[in-house]
Amino acid sequence: MSKEVIVLPGDGIGPEVISAAARLLNYVGSFEINSLPIGGASIDKYDTPLTDETLQACRTSDAVLLGAVGGQKWETSDPEAPRPEQGLLNLRKGMELFANLRPVRPSPAAYEASPIRKELLEGVDLLVVRELTGGIYFGQKDRIRHTDKTKDTAQDTCEYSWQEIERIAHVAFRAAQQRKHKLTSVDKANVLETSRLWREVVTDVAKNYPDVELNLLLVDNAAMQIVSKPASFDVILTENMFGDILSDESAMLSGSLGMLPSASLGKEDSPGLFEPIHGSAPDIAGKGAANPLATFLSVALMLRYGLDSPSEAEAVETAVSKALDEGLRTKDLGGQATTIEATDKILSYL
Ligand code: IPM
Ligand code: MG
């Protein structure tokens, strides 16, 4: 029986990169591919960014590939109105995907596309391990409204349990064991109580991994070192919101957000969610200008971690780096290649 992949194209450039990815998937194997709506596309059809049917189908699939969610069309000040991003957050929570892996390995061929100097990029190979189902993203939110809106107040709560930190720490330490045996845990322990708990747990978990060198870094310092000495990092372990921010920053080492894939994993044997981190990019949607490489690299992660096809994963990664070596550049990398041209190129190398 062929494995089932659910594709969730979503909004903005999501449908373009997902249709490119479906071509790639059909090329490398025979998978059953089923497409379902999420985000704004789902709001338009069903008035909710994630239907129970979509969540259920994802939970029982072999792997899920997502394009992007969000866009101006669904932005509103109405607190009751559904938001596209909530679909993604509910999907992460509903599939219990607590571990988000974002590898950053700039290709030497694309060094010039990065705003960071070439000398600093040499040897950069880092992995952001972001906690994905806890923290301020999922804590209690409140807005106290007044007739005079200048009196309004709002609050978001950041909460972590020992167990939530412990399980993501194990994922990060195990990843470090497979890599350069270095782990940097990032927090704001000089200010936040959740960060002090984070440090305590990570230091405790570290005792199980004597072969991994642990460093503890405050998030502001980490943000600085990611641009000043990016090659010094191996695995970066951090909580949900810091991970969101630091992974966009790290993506720029690769020249563009359009290059960075991600894998969101949960319990062993439950399906993962694979997605480019670039978002819906409404300004270029529908123009054929989207860079499909982050999605292709996400397909590679899906083949490896979700579909038990490591050699196909490697073939896709090799094709992407070969295409970059030979000068393939989409607009975000300063070139002219369209989404379809980039896809044709990658397929021609497989
Ligand atoms: C990401 C995105 C999401 C996040 C948004 C779309 C909710 O920025 O995957 O990094 O903040 O997690
Ligand atoms: Mg983000």
Side-chain angles (χ1 to χ4, degrees):
M1 222 176 60
S2 56
K3 299 212 170 191
E4 187 198 15
V5 176
I6 301 283
V7 295
L8 306 170
D11 311 318
I13 60 172
E16 292 163 72
V17 294
I18 290 298
S19 82
R23 274 183 69 197
L24 175 66
L25 263 178
N26 282 323
Y27 199 86
V28 298
S30 70
F31 302 105
E32 180 190 336
I33 303 176
N34 292 312
S35 181
L36 291 168
I38 193 169
S42 177
I43 293 175
D44 289 351
K45 234 172 140 180
Y46 302 110
D47 219 31
T48 168
L50 179 72
T51 63
D52 293 343
E53 288 72 25
T54 298
L55 174 58
Q56 201 45 35
C58 291
R59 289 170 61 116
T60 54
S61 70
D62 290 296
V64 182
L65 183 70
L66 180 132
V69 293
Q72 201 121 51
K73 180 174 170 198
W74 303 278
E75 251 153 55
T76 151
S77 54
D78 174 3
E80 305 298 319
R83 291 176 173 275
E85 290 77 7
Q86 197 59 44
L88 177 57
L89 299 181
N90 292 352
L91 182 66
R92 289 172 178 170
K93 195 79 173 171
M95 293 177 73
E96 298 173 72
L97 303 169
F98 64 88
N100 182 228
L101 312 184
R102 298 185 165 181
V104 180
R105 201 179 328 136
S107 150
Y111 279 172
E112 85 276 8
S114 172
I116 307 294
R117 282 202 313 275
K118 181 171 168 290
E119 312 86 86
L120 296 177
L121 295 175
E122 270 153 23
V124 171
D125 180 0
L126 63 86
L127 175 69
V128 179
V129 176
R130 169 188 177 193
E131 199 292 325
L132 203 60
T133 50
I136 201 165
Y137 271 58
F138 292 93
Q140 174 85 26
K141 297 182 196 306
D142 263 316
R143 173 79 172 260
I144 312 288
R145 291 175 189 274
H146 294 80
T147 16
D148 173 3
K149 70 177 183 191
T150 64
K151 301 259 169 13
D152 276 14
T153 58
Q155 74 176 44
D156 295 277
T157 317
C158 184
E159 189 176 336
Y160 268 111
S161 67
W162 183 287
Q163 278 78 17
E164 281 176 303
I165 303 168
E166 190 176 38
R167 64 182 179 179
I168 187 74
H170 280 290
V171 170
F173 276 103
R174 284 198 297 265
Q177 283 185 318
Q178 304 297 318
R179 299 171 45 99
K180 294 178 276 176
H181 300 262
K182 261 183 84 174
L183 190 148
T184 307
S185 175
V186 174
D187 61 40
K188 188 69 184 173
N190 52 351
V191 178
L192 302 176
E193 198 55 40
T194 40
S195 285
R196 292 192 266 268
L197 178 64
W198 187 276
R199 255 182 201 214
E200 209 177 310
V201 178
V202 170
T203 309
D204 195 60
V205 171
K207 293 179 192 141
N208 302 292
Y209 302 90
D211 54 330
V212 176
E213 176 196 331
L214 170 66
N215 290 294
L216 303 168
L217 216 53
L218 296 173
V219 63
D220 45 353
N221 189 355
M224 179 191 73
Q225 293 195 32
I226 284 172
V227 288
S228 61
K229 40 179 184 171
S232 69
F233 291 95
D234 179 14
V235 174
I236 296 176
L237 164 65
T238 192
E239 61 95 63
N240 206 342
M241 186 158 75
F242 296 157
D244 179 45
I245 299 168
L246 296 182
S247 60
D248 270 29
E249 185 192 16
S250 309
M252 289 315 290
L253 302 168
S254 302
S256 160
L257 267 182
M259 301 292 292
L260 214 69
S262 79
S264 304
L265 307 173
K267 295 198 194 84
E268 217 168 322
D269 297 326
S270 61
L273 169 69
F274 302 84
E275 52 176 319
I277 78 150
H278 50 55
S280 61
D283 50 319
I284 59 162
K287 298 188 177 149
N291 181 348
L293 296 186
T295 311
F296 293 167
L297 294 171
S298 303
V299 167
L301 293 177
M302 179 168 80
L303 288 162
R304 182 173 297 118
Y305 296 117
L307 299 172
D308 203 16
S309 309
S311 54
E312 285 80 357
E314 211 175 304
V316 170
E317 283 162 353
T318 308
V320 169
S321 61
K322 181 151 182 232
L324 287 168
D325 286 347
E326 308 223 324
L328 174 72
R329 299 286 185 276
T330 41
K331 285 229 168 65
D332 54 312
L333 293 175
Q336 292 299 325
T338 64
T339 311
I340 292 182
E341 284 161 2
T343 309
D344 289 341
K345 193 56 139 202
I346 300 298
L347 296 191
S348 77
Y349 289 135
L350 281 166

